[in-house]
Amino acid sequence: MNSIVSALPGKITSLFGKLDSPYLNGGQQLAVKYFSVATVLFFAQLLFGLLAAIQFVAPGFLFGWLDFSVNRMIHINAMVVWLLYGFIGSVYWFLEEESGTEIAGLKLGNIAFYVLTGAVTIVVLVFLLIQTGPGKDTTIWFINEGREYIEAPRWADFGIVAVMLVFFYNVAGTFAKGRWSGISGVLTLDLIALAGLYCAGMFYLTNITADQYWWWWVIHLWVEATWEVLVGCIMAWSLMHLIGARRKIVQTWLYIEVALMFGSGILGLGHHYFWIGTPDYWFSIGGFFSALEPIPLVAMVVHSVYDAGVHQFKSRNHPALAWIIAHTFGNFLGAGVWGFMHTLPQINLYTHGTQWSASHGHLAFFGAYATINIAFFYMAVQKWRGNVWMGGELPGNGWKWKWAMALLNVGVLGMTVALLIAGYEQSFIERAMEGSTWSAYFSAQNHPWFQQAMHWRLLFGLITIAGLVLLIWDLVTIGKGETRPALQLLEAE
Amino acid sequence: MIEPVALKDFFITFFSAALVILGGAGYAGLYAWAKLRGNPRLLLWAYACYAVLAGATFLLARATHLNGQWQILVGLMLTGYLLAPLGIWKLCVASHGN
């Protein structure tokens, strides 16, 4: 037994070592490791989401073995972690090319990857194996911290912050050693905020309002500020390498985006403070800044039309570009339309925490974040294969990536609409008509609209999983045996 | 405390809020397209979208009881959403120029 345990680290590193490719630099080798784990976690997210969806239509399913609370928790945590793995991998991917030098502390970065992956594995195993029990101080440290979406126990929190600091050192140290750019400056500052804000979710306060106040700093300010900026940096670099966009243009727009995002997104935090016991002025602040949040999306629409019309861009990677286009639509619909529909406090009183929130969450996270990670996976696999052709005329007319994209988008959109119907019924009957009582909750849960919506959600969930299986198959096989080189674009200035 | 939406205005609130964003995007997109093509007819469609945005904003403001000083804010935001695509278009032209 002991010999197996002692040999385990070597076996794991050699397993990941098989992913190395002679076409990649050190940072890109590390990025591929992050992308691989991200894909596994993406699958876990959908698998546990599917189990939770089944439990909505058959509540006795796996009861006592794998309860709904655990499935939901792993579904959401896996999503947060796989998206982070994707973002970290994307940054490692372009770090050496952007800085013009080798990564500072790459060995430390590799160790941090194994530490983080080991910690994530242990946390998930503990979630699965210890589902019930007394809540003590030691529970917070070793089992579950109890804060929704960031349930990881405190030992893991410290590990996450330590790994983020190593990541920050890799990024800032590399740019300091090499060359700085607009993208690298924005990225480095954003990583300070990313690591710093996580600390706001690590301490426990006995006053639930105060506790929730700080907890939202992690949830909202990560998602609607630091992640958006991080994605802006990844998108800026991707557009230069995907369609040959000029650096001056993408950097200018990155600054504009950051200004708009921070101008509206930071105080948009107020829309989470409506019902947690904070002072009344948050109604006005949250309502007003939430109404400003679509402005970056309006800018995105104008800019997309301008670029499509003025420049005749050629893409060197059709699947990646298609996913970036899906990102713009998904972000606009999920974050913009679905968000604004229920963000003002006058209506949010009824919708907050219902399936309406879940509907918004599904489309916004998929549209704003999952899509950009998938686009980057395709860019990575292209170079991993030796910078091969991924334009038009792929074998089989690229049916796998096209069907994977269609199934994933139809699946998520279908779930979103099903949850929207359930959420509308729930907020109307449970909240508005019957006044949020315990019996009102059951009235809403047993209403045919809710029940039917849950069946439709399950069906579209299955379609989403089918899309992911096809996507993974495509990522593993695309470009295999391809001999044509990738389309050469003019070097970005 | 802000007055919650009345039960009868439930649907109109969601619907008008969605139309605010869709109208705004339609206006921004069609405005940019009209400028790109130099086509005044497209500009008319863009302003039609803005009219949808303005009408939806009016409905939303009424359903959500945005009275008194809030109406000034609604007016300011409508002006802002009218001018934003113009400013962003100018930024596009300026930032893409050599």
Side-chain angles (χ1 to χ4, degrees):
Chain A
M1 183 65 186
N2 280 344
S3 62
I4 294 171
V5 172
S6 59
L8 201 57
K11 282 185 188 302
I12 292 169
T13 48
S14 72
L15 185 71
F16 278 106
K18 285 177 184 167
L19 296 168
D20 288 350
S21 157
Y23 306 106
L24 306 182
N25 62 40
Q28 289 169 340
Q29 309 274 23
L30 178 54
V32 171
K33 295 183 179 76
Y34 271 102
F35 292 151
S36 309
V37 178
T39 312
V40 172
L41 289 169
F42 189 11
F43 187 78
Q45 181 210 343
L46 266 56
L47 178 68
F48 284 93
L50 184 71
L51 295 178
I54 293 171
Q55 287 170 329
F56 259 106
V57 297
F61 179 68
L62 293 179
F63 180 70
W65 290 90
L66 202 50
D67 289 344
F68 175 80
S69 57
V70 177
N71 288 326
R72 180 183 181 272
M73 179 172 67
I74 298 178
H75 172 58
I76 295 172
N77 278 258
M79 179 200 70
V80 173
V81 178
W82 93 257
L83 291 177
L84 264 179
Y85 264 70
F87 298 153
I88 293 171
S90 301
V91 173
Y92 275 124
W93 184 270
F94 67 68
L95 200 49
E96 289 198 14
E97 286 187 19
E98 186 64 14
S99 64
T101 186
E102 287 185 358
I103 291 183
L106 181 61
K107 199 172 178 184
L108 202 58
N110 270 294
I111 293 169
F113 163 77
Y114 288 112
V115 168
L116 184 63
T117 305
V120 168
T121 310
I122 293 169
V123 168
V124 173
L125 285 174
V126 170
F127 283 168
L128 288 170
L129 297 173
I130 308 171
Q131 298 180 25
T132 54
K136 303 174 189 168
D137 281 344
T138 50
T139 317
I140 294 172
W141 281 94
F142 299 110
I143 312 291
N144 186 323
E145 207 172 32
R147 286 191 179 82
E148 206 177 7
Y149 315 140
I150 47 170
E151 282 96 344
R154 195 162 289 166
W155 73 265
D157 281 346
F158 283 113
I160 289 166
V161 172
V163 169
M164 285 299 134
L165 288 174
V166 171
F167 178 48
F168 177 76
Y169 165 66
N170 287 150
V171 173
T174 307
F175 285 126
K177 191 169 70 148
R179 60 168 180 257
W180 287 96
S181 64
I183 295 174
S184 61
V186 172
L187 175 69
T188 307
L189 288 173
D190 190 57
L191 290 184
I192 297 173
L194 188 78
L197 283 168
Y198 192 77
C199 299
M202 283 173 60
F203 50 86
Y204 175 73
L205 299 168
T206 50
N207 181 320
I208 189 72
T209 297
D211 198 72
Q212 292 260 300
Y213 183 91
W214 294 110
W215 170 71
W216 277 117
W217 273 46
V218 189
I219 308 303
H220 175 94
L221 293 180
W222 256 27
V223 173
E224 280 168 68
T226 56
W227 278 21
E228 291 271 11
V229 174
L230 192 53
V231 164
C233 294
I234 294 169
M235 179 78 105
W237 189 87
S238 303
L239 288 175
M240 286 195 303
H241 289 77
L242 196 59
I243 58 174
R246 280 187 292 146
R247 177 179 289 279
K248 185 188 154 199
I249 297 172
V250 294
Q251 286 190 167
T252 304
W253 280 89
L254 182 64
Y255 301 145
I256 295 168
E257 189 213 6
V258 169
L260 290 172
M261 203 76 70
F262 280 175
S264 58
I266 290 178
L267 283 174
L269 170 72
H271 62 230
H272 297 292
Y273 286 168
F274 292 159
W275 323 114
I276 62 167
T278 44
D280 278 2
Y281 53 74
W282 282 108
F283 287 130
S284 311
I285 295 172
F288 178 70
F289 283 94
S290 297
L292 290 182
E293 281 191 84
I295 288 182
L297 301 175
V298 168
M300 188 176 77
V301 171
V302 176
H303 198 187
S304 304
V305 173
Y306 183 93
D307 270 350
V310 172
H311 300 276
Q312 299 297 320
F313 287 124
K314 285 182 178 169
S315 151
R316 65 199 305 276
N317 187 321
H318 280 19
L321 185 64
W323 275 104
I324 284 180
I325 293 168
H327 164 81
T328 58
F329 281 101
N331 198 356
F332 173 75
L333 286 172
V337 177
W338 256 254
F340 192 66
M341 270 198 285
H342 71 142
T343 198
L344 294 178
Q346 294 92 326
I347 193 68
N348 190 269
L349 173 69
Y350 305 112
T351 60
H352 201 96
T354 65
Q355 297 295 339
W356 195 291
S357 303
S359 171
H360 165 52
H362 275 74
L363 192 54
F365 272 101
F366 178 75
Y369 299 121
T371 47
I372 194 78
N373 269 344
I374 296 170
F376 216 98
F377 292 170
Y378 273 107
M379 288 175 64
V381 85
Q382 181 176 31
K383 191 161 185 203
W384 189 80
R385 289 270 182 214
N387 216 11
V388 294
W389 177 265
M390 277 202 195
E393 296 165 13
L394 286 170
N397 203 23
W399 73 272
K400 274 184 281 188
W401 78 259
K402 288 176 183 169
W403 270 98
M405 189 173 171
L407 288 170
L408 276 163
N409 280 283
V410 168
V412 174
L413 207 56
M415 284 194 288
T416 302
V417 173
L419 291 168
L420 179 75
I421 292 165
Y424 186 88
E425 179 274 337
Q426 210 181 354
S427 49
F428 194 80
I429 292 177
E430 178 193 325
R431 300 281 176 85
M433 282 177 66
E434 298 189 27
S436 298
T437 61
W438 195 225
S439 75
Y441 171 77
F442 285 104
S443 293
Q445 296 283 314
N446 292 314
H447 193 278
W449 276 28
F450 190 93
Q451 298 281 331
Q452 287 167 16
M454 287 300 131
H455 281 89
W456 281 106
R457 192 270 294 269
L458 178 56
L459 175 70
F460 282 108
L462 286 166
I463 292 172
T464 310
I465 283 221
L468 178 61
V469 170
L470 197 53
L471 176 79
I472 294 171
W473 183 22
D474 191 43
L475 285 168
V476 171
T477 55
I478 195 168
K480 202 173 182 178
E482 178 65 70
T483 51
R484 291 171 293 172
L487 180 71
Q488 294 301 309
L489 299 168
L490 287 173
E491 276 297 306
E493 293 164 27
Chain B
M1 171 68 190
I2 287 170
E3 193 181 340
V5 166
L7 207 58
K8 68 177 173 56
D9 291 331
F10 225 66
F11 182 74
I12 201 75
T13 306
F14 295 125
F15 191 69
S16 57
L19 274 185
V20 167
I21 305 298
L22 291 171
Y27 166 57
L30 286 168
Y31 176 83
W33 201 19
K35 293 286 280 184
L36 203 63
R37 293 276 179 94
N39 186 342
R41 193 177 290 178
L42 282 172
L43 207 55
L44 281 178
W45 281 108
Y47 289 126
C49 279
Y50 184 78
V52 170
L53 159 70
T57 306
F58 172 74
L59 284 175
L60 183 66
R62 203 175 59 172
T64 53
H65 313 290
L66 292 176
N67 304 317
Q69 290 178 334
W70 282 104
Q71 286 179 346
I72 300 170
L73 206 59
V74 170
L76 278 174
M77 292 197 80
L78 268 177
T79 313
Y81 274 89
L82 176 71
L83 299 176
L86 280 69
I88 293 158
W89 176 264
K90 282 186 192 299
L91 268 173
C92 278
V93 175
S95 62
H96 287 245
N98 287 315

